[in-house]
Amino acid sequence: MSDEAIMTGKHFMNGDEACAEGALAAGCRFFAGYPITPQSEIAERMSKRMPEVGGRFIQMEDELSSIAAVLGGSWGGSRAMTATSGPGFSLMMENIGLGMMTETPCVIANIQRGSPSTGLPTAVGQGDMMQAQWGSHGDYGVIAYAPTSPQEMFDFTVKAFNKAEQYMMPVFVMADEKIGHMRERVEIDESKVEIYPRRKPEVDPDEFKPYEPDDDLVPRMASAGEGYRVHVTGLTHNQQGYPQLDVETQQEKVGRLVDKVDKNKDDIVELDTIGIEDAEVLIVSYGMAFRTAMGAYKQAREKGIKAGIVRLVTVWPFPEDEIKEFSKQVKGIVVPEINLGQMVREVERASAGNTEVKLVPHPGGGLHEPEQILESLEALL
Amino acid sequence: MASLETLAKREEKKRKFESGHSLCSGCGLPIAVRTILNSTDGPVVASNATGCLEVATSRFPTSAWNIPWIHNAFENAAATISGAESAYRSMKKKGKIDKDVNFLAFAGDGGTYDIGFQSLSGALERGHDFTYVTLDNGAYMNTGIQRSSATPKGASTTTAPAGEEKYGKQEKRKNLTEIVAAHEIPYVGQASISHLQDLADKAEKAIHRDGPAFLNVLSTCQLGWRIPPKDSVKVAQKGVDTCFWPLYEVDEGEHNITYEPKEKLPIKEWLEPQKRFAALFKTGNEEVIEEIQEDVDEDWEKLQAKAS
């Protein structure tokens, strides 16, 4: 294929392959995974590419061990990733919580399919959006990207790695079967790939506290063998990294897991807006549903309807301040999702009664017709 | 041993596993499942882990199953059947059911050797009265031929691909039959779709024994093994005759070899017809074939010692 870690050039590849290439470009050198449709192409590409770039691919015995190996790989000093789909995402949840608690940078790509359970293995779905935020037990902030094309599978996987390292946490790429299997042009340019390096300690080993945060509320990480004490635990721990099972430590630790995302929203949240300057009705969308929403938007504008789109690049943390502002200027908001109503709840919450919010649901297995979204827009006027 | 006539007569009864499914031509799975279910005489309840067998035999309107059948997730065929069997025992004790029911679990090698291993081991230790059948075709065929811990050393898969760096899977496969035997359950059988009388005998023993029983059945996959569909049974036979896949049982702790090849064939005869091993026949990989031969010889000797 190529010995280059970053395959600069123009390619015709599917979203899964682009995700793998994005990871390699971002410096990922450790991938542990398990076969599951429609994700397997990521693992397959990694199994071929990792030996070429001096990285390591391991196929694990299930998804529990895949994410656990990724956490281990990250503590070993690698930029590490796994990829899965709904059933595997469910199995990973306990260890995702461990990754959050131990503040372990890594990336998890979820190529969503029709769900729940085995559901529709070879067909599109967006049913895991709430699970990405609330899937593991307890409180923690989440960063999740929603790509809408193979190009964005590349770009957002790079972003995900950088945010994982910057905020020291597992970060999600919440794609879906259509984006994963869609084949389009992907442009890769090494000069445009920025890498956020691991936050290494800058004090002497005697002074280093592995969970003492910097001003941005994020700590630094030493790997085993670098001369610093490494003591990793899922128990509630103090800044030294040792279990301390009291309310104060719980408040400081878990509070910071939430705050490091919440208080850095300005840096993390990304959204695109189209036609919102004069918009009277709005579509809030993400992932594959956004591509259909674009069709509805164009049809609406052709009919003279002043429609606009807010497209979520990051779905988590939810951009509630932005949505709140938009909700004050429009007659209504339409939320098309390939589920029976998930992110729409966040839109309703952020809108706080300022405007009518209408879900355009799809159960999964296919896509909306643009006309369904258009009709919902028209109904709000 | 069950005669061919007996096997043929069983086909005349109402079959518990019917034709008309969409498994590939040359696939070993339906051969194994039908032979096993034909060997049962009473009511059967089966669980089926995710995999080709599940997907290709159950879709509306063409279900091949004439028995109560439970698809579960990928990792828990043994746990699901544990629940069904426990409920049955409880109902029987209370007099709410009087039939004698056989419980079976079907899963592939991925669903057994890897993700389902914990569930299997737990069910064996708890001692449920059921028969677990692994249909071992040596990779995750349903998701596109990814390696499993049953994949033989040297096979090329989509996640252990042959290329410039490697010839394919580097690791020897897990010996699951012996691992299960170490649970000291009443009956363990290793069988192949190339020897149906042997498989039928083992299925009968497994099903009629009280407590857990386990069958590990070598099952061909023409796509993953890269063989012509018409050669499916012949290739499986080579697996047996090279002693890559010896036919034997562990009956109440006693190892018995149930089929001795007249002449033990060199491992090349098993490897060569299968294009998944093609890289082994390139210059420079001769040693790998020798290593595989050594592994097979050593395992065969160990088995013979256990059976003597």
Side-chain angles (χ1 to χ4, degrees):
Chain A
M1 214 165 279
S2 169
D3 291 346
E4 298 294 321
I6 306 183
M7 289 173 57
T8 294
K10 290 172 186 164
H11 306 273
F12 188 57
M13 58 174 67
N14 74 25
D16 283 350
E17 293 161 354
C19 177
E21 289 303 327
L24 295 170
C28 176
R29 292 295 178 272
F30 181 80
F31 184 100
Y34 187 71
I36 189 166
T37 306
Q39 166 285 141
S40 296
E41 293 91 332
I42 300 177
E44 288 168 9
R45 181 116 179 160
M46 285 298 202
S47 76
K48 292 184 185 76
R49 291 279 281 134
M50 278 297 187
E52 292 173 349
V53 302
R56 181 83 175 153
F57 166 88
I58 322 182
Q59 188 178 313
M60 301 300 291
E61 68 274 18
D62 57 26
E63 286 91 350
L64 283 76
S65 53
S66 297
I67 177 66
V70 163
L71 299 181
S74 184
W75 278 99
S78 279
R79 287 161 90 90
M81 132 177 238
T82 186
T84 188
S85 187
F89 199 50
S90 293
L91 286 176
M92 287 183 184
M93 281 302 153
E94 187 192 10
N95 276 289
I96 286 172
L98 178 65
M100 295 295 179
M101 190 64 153
T102 56
E103 304 191 58
T104 306
C106 62
V107 171
I108 299 148
N110 178 359
I111 315 303
Q112 298 171 85
R113 63 194 216 184
S115 54
S117 190
T118 311
L120 302 166
T122 57
V124 63
Q126 292 183 317
D128 313 350
M129 301 309 297
M130 280 287 168
Q131 190 184 20
Q133 167 66 66
W134 304 111
S136 197
H137 51 286
D139 295 305
Y140 49 87
V142 163
I143 302 174
Y145 290 89
T148 65
S149 65
Q151 180 68 53
E152 287 185 352
M153 284 291 265
F154 180 90
D155 296 338
F156 291 9
T157 304
V158 175
K159 281 177 190 279
F161 268 96
N162 286 337
K163 285 292 178 259
E165 295 291 340
Q166 186 180 350
Y167 291 102
M168 298 271 291
M169 59 192 286
V171 170
F172 303 118
V173 177
M174 297 296 289
D176 61 68
E177 181 276 334
K178 281 274 175 289
I179 303 297
H181 284 163
M182 176 186 297
R183 207 165 273 279
E184 284 184 341
R185 185 164 81 167
V186 175
E187 289 190 39
I188 299 174
D189 182 349
E190 185 167 4
S191 68
K192 288 185 183 161
V193 175
E194 287 175 24
I195 299 209
Y196 193 102
R198 179 142 306 180
R199 301 170 71 113
K200 291 281 182 193
E202 286 178 351
V203 295
D204 290 339
D206 291 348
E207 296 166 39
F208 179 59
K209 291 182 188 170
Y211 290 102
E212 183 178 37
D214 288 352
D215 291 344
D216 61 1
L217 303 178
V218 187
R220 289 163 180 271
M221 185 177 186
S223 297
E226 293 176 347
Y228 292 83
R229 189 181 297 277
V230 172
H231 185 97
V232 186
T233 175
L235 283 164
T236 293
H237 43 266
N238 58 24
Q239 292 190 350
Q240 285 88 345
Y242 292 106
Q244 195 170 329
L245 309 182
D246 55 41
V247 175
E248 292 73 23
T249 314
Q250 173 79 354
Q251 174 60 48
E252 186 196 341
K253 172 77 206 191
V254 182
R256 192 169 55 71
L257 293 183
V258 173
D259 286 347
K260 73 176 176 181
V261 175
D262 208 37
K263 295 198 188 312
N264 288 305
K265 266 185 169 180
D266 288 348
D267 174 62
I268 299 166
V269 166
E270 284 187 66
L271 46 80
D272 292 334
T273 56
I274 302 163
I276 53 158
E277 294 73 19
D278 63 343
E280 292 179 352
V281 282
L282 210 57
I283 304 169
V284 174
S285 192
Y286 59 91
M288 188 61 211
F290 166 73
R291 291 177 75 121
T292 318
M294 272 306 289
Y297 164 77
K298 283 176 190 162
Q299 287 182 27
R301 283 283 169 176
E302 278 164 18
K303 289 178 96 173
I305 298 168
K306 289 180 178 170
I309 295 194
V310 175
R311 175 271 162 106
L312 310 178
V313 171
T314 47
V315 281
W316 300 110
F318 189 75
E320 57 184 283
D321 296 342
E322 292 82 350
I323 297 295
K324 189 176 183 180
E325 285 309 306
F326 293 133
S327 72
K328 290 175 186 167
Q329 75 172 61
V330 295
K331 290 177 182 162
I333 300 176
V334 166
V335 185
E337 298 188 84
I338 310 172
N339 57 50
L340 299 183
Q342 298 199 7
M343 297 310 292
V344 69
R345 292 163 183 262
E346 287 296 289
V347 178
E348 279 173 356
R349 191 174 63 80
S351 300
N354 292 326
T355 193
E356 190 177 345
V357 177
K358 191 150 179 54
L359 167 72
V360 188
H362 191 296
L367 304 176
H368 297 91
E369 295 292 337
E371 290 72 21
Q372 288 174 270
I373 302 168
L374 181 65
E375 278 168 25
S376 293
L377 283 174
E378 286 173 324
L380 290 173
L381 287 166
Chain B
M1 188 178 277
S3 69
L4 287 174
E5 195 184 347
T6 304
L7 295 192
K9 277 198 174 148
R10 286 174 184 172
E11 282 285 295
E12 290 166 8
K13 290 190 290 184
K14 188 184 177 190
R15 294 185 302 216
K16 291 178 174 128
F17 185 83
E18 278 293 354
S19 56
H21 49 73
S22 56
L23 288 158
C24 301
S25 58
C27 175
L29 304 178
I31 302 173
V33 173
R34 200 148 109 188
T35 305
I36 291 164
L37 286 178
N38 279 355
S39 308
T40 62
D41 36 25
V44 173
V45 174
S47 71
N48 194 168
T50 303
C52 289
L53 180 67
E54 167 255 327
V55 173
T57 62
S58 66
R59 271 200 270 186
F60 185 80
T62 58
S63 173
W65 302 89
N66 275 328
I67 54 168
W69 177 89
I70 313 166
H71 167 237
N72 47 352
F74 200 10
E75 67 278 14
N76 48 5
T80 302
I81 212 69
S82 296
E85 186 264 354
S86 298
Y88 160 76
R89 264 194 299 163
S90 170
M91 288 165 80
K92 197 158 191 192
K93 201 171 165 187
K94 290 178 182 168
K96 290 182 178 174
I97 193 167
D98 56 3
K99 289 177 188 167
D100 287 322
V101 181
N102 295 310
F103 291 89
L104 270 81
F106 291 101
D109 49 282
T112 306
Y113 285 66
D114 295 344
I115 194 169
F117 183 68
Q118 179 173 325
S119 161
L120 170 62
S121 182
L124 298 178
E125 187 274 336
R126 287 189 302 270
H128 298 280
D129 186 9
F130 77 117
T131 298
Y132 190 101
V133 181
T134 305
L135 301 156
D136 182 345
N137 56 21
Y140 292 84
M141 302 309 184
N142 186 44
T143 46
I145 318 168
Q146 294 86 14
R147 61 93 87 186
S148 76
S149 59
T151 303
K153 177 174 171 171
S156 178
T157 71
T158 52
T159 52
E164 283 175 22
E165 302 280 339
K166 289 175 179 174
Y167 52 78
K169 190 185 175 221
Q170 310 282 297
E171 303 82 13
K172 191 184 165 189
R173 58 180 289 282
K174 199 189 265 182
N175 189 340
L176 186 69
T177 306
E178 287 301 311
I179 294 167
V180 171
H183 287 71
E184 298 176 355
I185 58 172
Y187 188 79
V188 174
Q190 181 160 294
S192 164
I193 58 130
S194 55
H195 294 70
L196 295 187
Q197 291 163 274
D198 179 79
L199 172 60
D201 283 355
K202 285 172 180 162
E204 263 187 89
K205 281 188 192 172
I207 291 159
H208 290 135
R209 206 58 61 88
D210 286 335
F214 176 80
L215 295 175
N216 199 358
V217 186
L218 182 68
S219 184
T220 41
C221 173
Q222 46 114 338
L223 290 173
W225 295 19
R226 294 158 66 198
I227 54 172
K230 68 177 175 59
D231 292 346
S232 186
V233 172
K234 280 186 200 162
V235 174
Q237 169 110 33
K238 295 279 189 197
V240 174
D241 283 337
T242 55
C243 294
F244 166 80
W245 193 267
L247 304 185
Y248 73 104
E249 62 186 8
V250 188
D251 190 344
E252 305 291 352
E254 296 286 325
H255 280 72
N256 306 314
I257 294 169
T258 57
Y259 169 85
E260 290 260 8
K262 285 194 190 82
E263 181 198 355
K264 180 169 168 276
L265 300 176
I267 196 66
K268 267 188 183 175
E269 296 207 22
W270 151 255
L271 302 172
E272 207 157 16
Q274 304 180 51
K275 296 295 170 242
R276 63 175 170 159
F277 296 114
L280 301 184
F281 292 88
K282 287 183 182 159
T283 314
N285 285 335
E286 296 82 358
E287 268 182 27
V288 183
I289 295 180
E290 281 170 31
E291 285 166 18
I292 295 170
Q293 183 69 65
E294 283 164 20
D295 286 345
V296 167
D297 293 347
E298 195 184 320
D299 288 348
W300 177 236
E301 278 167 29
K302 273 190 213 162
L303 178 61
Q304 284 178 312
K306 282 179 189 167
S308 64

